[in-house]
Amino acid sequence: MKAGVPITLRLTSVDNRYHTDGGGQHQWAVDELDVSVVAPPLGNNSVTFTPDTPGTYTFYCDICCGGRANPSMQGTLVVEA
Ligand SMILES: [Cu+2]
């Protein structure tokens, strides 16, 4: 991403409500950017935000599969100047 440029992020869950962990919901959140969006089972949800400060941020899902402590439920967002 570019600092100061707004984006709309759309998160899709491909799990149904019978998914044993989290009931099919998934999340995309970055604490430092005060962004969190939750997608419903077999649905999507979106959030628009503007990162102001360049840096490297960790995004995570804290709903399923052990939550944010699970390395597979995390990723890296890079915001460039
Ligand atoms: Cu998830």
Side-chain angles (χ1 to χ4, degrees):
M1 297 183 65
K2 289 272 189 199
V5 179
I7 70 136
T8 297
L9 179 137
R10 188 174 75 163
L11 181 68
T12 300
S13 172
V14 297
D15 290 320
N16 66 33
R17 65 192 176 93
Y18 300 110
H19 194 65
T20 53
D21 197 2
Q25 290 189 330
H26 290 285
Q27 178 188 27
W28 192 95
V30 181
D31 289 344
E32 297 88 341
L33 301 178
D34 199 25
V35 177
S36 177
V37 61
V38 174
L42 298 179
N44 58 69
N45 200 358
S46 61
V47 62
T48 299
F49 64 101
T50 306
D52 291 324
T53 307
T56 301
Y57 302 91
T58 298
F59 64 82
Y60 63 87
C61 171
D62 202 25
I63 292 177
C64 62
C65 307
R68 63 187 303 179
N70 183 339
S72 71
M73 290 293 122
Q74 296 182 9
T76 301
L77 170 70
V78 177
V79 178
E80 299 176 336

